[in-house]
Amino acid sequence: MRVLIMGGDGYLGWPTAMDLADRGHDVCVIDNYLRRTIALQTRSEALMPQPDLTRRAEIFGSVFGKQVRVVIGDCASYATLQKVFEEFRPEAAVHYAEQPSAPYSMIGQDEARLTVTNNLNTTLNLAWAVMQHAPECRIIKLGTMGEYGTPNIDIEEGWIEIEHKGRKDTFLFPRQTGSLYHTTKIFDTDMLWFYVRTFGLAVTDLMQGPVYGLSTPQSDADQRLLPNFHYDDIFGTVVNRFLVQAVQGVPLTVYGKGGQVRGYLNINDTLQCIRLALENPADHGELRILNQFTETFSVTQLAERVQRVGEQMGLPVEIQRIENPRKEAEEHYYNPAHSGLLELGLEPHYLTDGVVASMLEQVLRHKDRIDEDKILPRVRWKT
Ligand SMILES: NC(=O)c1ccc[n+]([C@@H]2O[C@H](COP(=O)([O-])OP(=O)(O)OC[C@H]3O[C@@H](n4cnc5c(N)ncnc54)[C@H](O)[C@@H]3O)[C@@H](O)[C@H]2O)c1
């Protein structure tokens, strides 16, 4: 299949490109290095150095003998995206090209505007490029479990049937998020639903939880092919921050009470889910929504897991509660459905002690590059 990966330099985009190319798909990646630019501007650089995208594709080609086509360009520019569609004629497009940091989106007006403009334009341009240049192309869009927030009812997979005054209808599940970034993901879903029901696009929207891990069959072959690993308060996920704090010998900082529960998944399961979405595409006129995570943890449970494994490896690990910089429920009900991908054949890789240990070993190899000042929260949006 000809697969276009938008955001192909990213944490998920690059491993996806390698995985699909290694399996024989014809893969083209497009990226404008927005994440690298923002990381430099906010002093949030990744722990391990990453060759640029063209160089990564060369290294991948020399190790695996497979080609990944590279376009350096902005998907928020319709002229650029149209050109890629005209030349590559994708049969499927995986859309990762967004500004994905919640704290970044909450810094100020400039960052808020960039997040809204970038994320909505890339999605809008994709819908139009498909309609005008590749009407058969299937869209796989990365949404986030954060779109749903933490409601006091069970979370369904995308849709809910509502009975009101004796009549029934099916609607998108109510969504209420905790950051502007997550709000742009809701806008994306609503925009795609509009184009699906009005113009018959075929879209799978994957409501993904936070992803962890660096090891994939391709990245294990050469360290220069590793995905980005950020550990700062802007781009670093809670798992990455805890791993780095454990290695650095500073306390793991739990925001608030630590009862914030989210659904997590291994990066290898993201790759599986993308393959499953490609192999089981939505029909034209269908918005298929799948909740993409394999297990849930509270922040405290994650901290305790890293502490336990760290101590087994001889690292002294303390846990410290600090004031929560975010406005979010610190204790809440959380019961999201996630059977759709399992029914399609997802075989989960769980967060075992062995997986935590292997991530700690990766970080230990780059301990000398850790900048402790990057880890503590610099952005606050709690009023
Ligand atoms: N990583 C996670 O844990 C996670 C969880 C849920 C959802 N998601 C979603 O998955 C997607 C990818 O996340 P990620 O962690 O790989 O983020 P990332 O920042 O590492 O990757 C996104 C890539 O898109 C590129 N990009 C952004 N805007 C672009 C534009 N206008 N034109 C071209 N390229 C552009 C960036 O430069 C970056 O390389 C995002 O949409 C994010 O919302 C990620």
Side-chain angles (χ1 to χ4, degrees), residues 257-272:
K257 291 182 183 154
Q260 303 90 320
V261 182
R262 303 287 184 268
Y264 292 82
L265 74 160
N266 188 298
I267 191 164
N268 288 289
D269 291 342
T270 296
L271 302 182
Q272 271 194 78

Side-chain angles (χ1 to χ4, degrees), residues 36 88 104 154 167 180 199 215 230 247 251 280 305-306 346 365:
R36 292 184 192 242
F88 183 61
Y104 180 80
D154 288 357
R167 302 178 70 83
L180 184 70
F199 296 103
S215 165
H230 292 265
V247 165
N280 303 276
R305 176 72 63 95
V306 173
L346 173 65
R365 267 179 235 138

Side-chain angles (χ1 to χ4, degrees), residues 213 285 311 373:
E311 285 176 348
D373 293 341

